[in-house]
Amino acid sequence: MNRNLATATTQQRSNGAEWIGGEPSVLVFDVNETLIDFESMDPLFEKIFGDRRVMREWLGHLIMYSMTVTLSGLYEGYFTLGQGLLKMVGDIHGVRVSDADIEEIRQAMLTMPAHPDVQEGLSRMKDAGFRLVTLTNSPSNPDGQSPLEHAGLAHFFERQFTIETVRAYKPAQQVYHLVAQELDVPPSSCFMVAAHVWDTIGAQSAGYTAGLVTRPGNAPLPVHSLPQPNLIAPDLPALAGQLIQVWRS
């Protein structure tokens, strides 16, 4: 850990964040929204519901009910849950969601593009010597390419972890512990990269450090009794620059 860490630590503490743990060697990336662009599905929701903003409503339900399932001691696959919630949102809006609509959205979830900044950011992080893995609520796709493969990003990562293994959704602590155990590293060696504060809080509660990428529709949560992201950046190249300045310069 170099002399820049002291400066970074002071800056982060002034923002309400404590830098706890050692130097991270593994960057653990969320996939949905962090790496791939969920808003690419907006036109589909506009076609089905007449309002592209319904995509955000549905995504909020998907996040909330995945957590509800885990907290209730239950489990259901991400796509099945998402399909049921599409019909629920349809009922709320008085819109009939057909099986063809559901299949179209399912295919869209498997084929979303990467955010335009992602390739550059991942390249800089990998070139700096960090290990890169992913950890996602989305299931694997045994019948074809994963969303990362379709987005042209899979080659950056040594492992792709999903919550299917532990049958619990993020931010349950056992999901983050899975990654550290499988890679045979302590949690303090892991740095979560996510566009959602609920994900960074979950990772930090499991012993990780974390960085928040403020994609559209996402922002820090200014409740200072809760873990604050150690780093905050508008995109991956900016986050890469911060990581390299702290640990690689």
Side-chain angles (χ1 to χ4, degrees), residues 71-103:
L71 286 170
S72 301
L74 305 170
Y75 180 74
E76 182 51 78
Y78 195 67
F79 283 155
T80 301
L81 184 60
Q83 290 165 12
L85 288 167
L86 279 170
K87 291 185 176 181
M88 185 184 83
V89 172
D91 288 342
I92 291 169
H93 287 270
V95 173
R96 180 183 175 275
V97 179
S98 69
D99 290 343
D101 294 331
I102 289 173
E103 177 60 20

Side-chain angles (χ1 to χ4, degrees), residues 31 37 39 69 84 100 132 138 145 181 230 241-242:
V31 175
D37 184 7
E39 290 189 343
V69 166
L132 275 57
S138 297
Q145 290 184 319
Q181 290 164 2
N230 301 102
Q242 293 181 39

Side-chain angles (χ1 to χ4, degrees), residues 34-35 114-122 213 215 234-238:
T34 304
L35 300 179
H115 288 289
D117 62 281
V118 168
Q119 293 262 2
E120 177 189 347
L122 294 178
V213 181
R215 299 291 187 199
D235 55 35
L236 281 194

Side-chain angles (χ1 to χ4, degrees), residues 15-201:
N15 291 329
E18 282 289 322
W19 200 287
I20 299 172
E23 178 177 347
S25 58
V26 181
L27 306 183
V28 183
F29 289 82
D30 175 50
V31 175
N32 296 331
E33 285 208 278
T34 304
L35 300 179
I36 59 177
D37 184 7
F38 247 73
E39 290 189 343
S40 64
M41 293 196 295
D42 282 357
L44 272 177
F45 281 81
E46 186 167 21
K47 183 181 77 171
I48 296 167
F49 293 96
D51 187 346
R52 62 178 50 214
R53 293 174 297 181
V54 175
M55 190 282 289
R56 283 281 167 195
E57 180 183 345
W58 167 76
L59 181 58
H61 282 301
L62 185 53
I63 293 168
M64 180 178 69
Y65 280 97
S66 66
M67 295 178 185
T68 300
V69 166
T70 293
L71 286 170
S72 301
L74 305 170
Y75 180 74
E76 182 51 78
Y78 195 67
F79 283 155
T80 301
L81 184 60
Q83 290 165 12
L85 288 167
L86 279 170
K87 291 185 176 181
M88 185 184 83
V89 172
D91 288 342
I92 291 169
H93 287 270
V95 173
R96 180 183 175 275
V97 179
S98 69
D99 290 343
D101 294 331
I102 289 173
E103 177 60 20
E104 194 170 9
I105 290 176
R106 188 186 76 85
Q107 288 297 326
M109 289 179 71
L110 290 169
T111 57
M112 290 181 287
H115 288 289
D117 62 281
V118 168
Q119 293 262 2
E120 177 189 347
L122 294 178
S123 294
R124 291 186 64 189
M125 293 171 185
K126 197 171 184 70
D127 290 346
F130 292 105
R131 298 172 67 184
L132 275 57
V133 302
T134 61
L135 174 61
T136 179
N137 280 337
S138 297
S140 56
N141 181 23
D143 299 322
Q145 290 184 319
S146 70
L148 281 177
E149 289 169 334
H150 187 274
L153 302 176
H155 65 283
F156 285 106
F157 301 102
E158 63 177 86
R159 295 280 297 274
Q160 296 181 38
F161 294 97
T162 81
I163 57 90
E164 294 173 299
T165 306
V166 295
R167 295 174 66 85
Y169 285 96
K170 294 189 289 180
Q173 287 192 10
Q174 62 262 41
V175 181
Y176 305 98
H177 289 152
L178 165 72
V179 175
Q181 290 164 2
E182 287 290 313
L183 297 177
D184 196 24
V185 298
S188 60
S189 292
C190 298
F191 183 92
M192 189 76 207
V193 180
H196 309 107
V197 175
W198 55 261
D199 207 349
T200 61
I201 289 175

Side-chain angles (χ1 to χ4, degrees), residues 229-245:
N230 301 102
L231 298 174
I232 299 172
D235 55 35
L236 281 194
L239 184 64
Q242 293 181 39
L243 284 165
I244 291 166
Q245 181 183 16

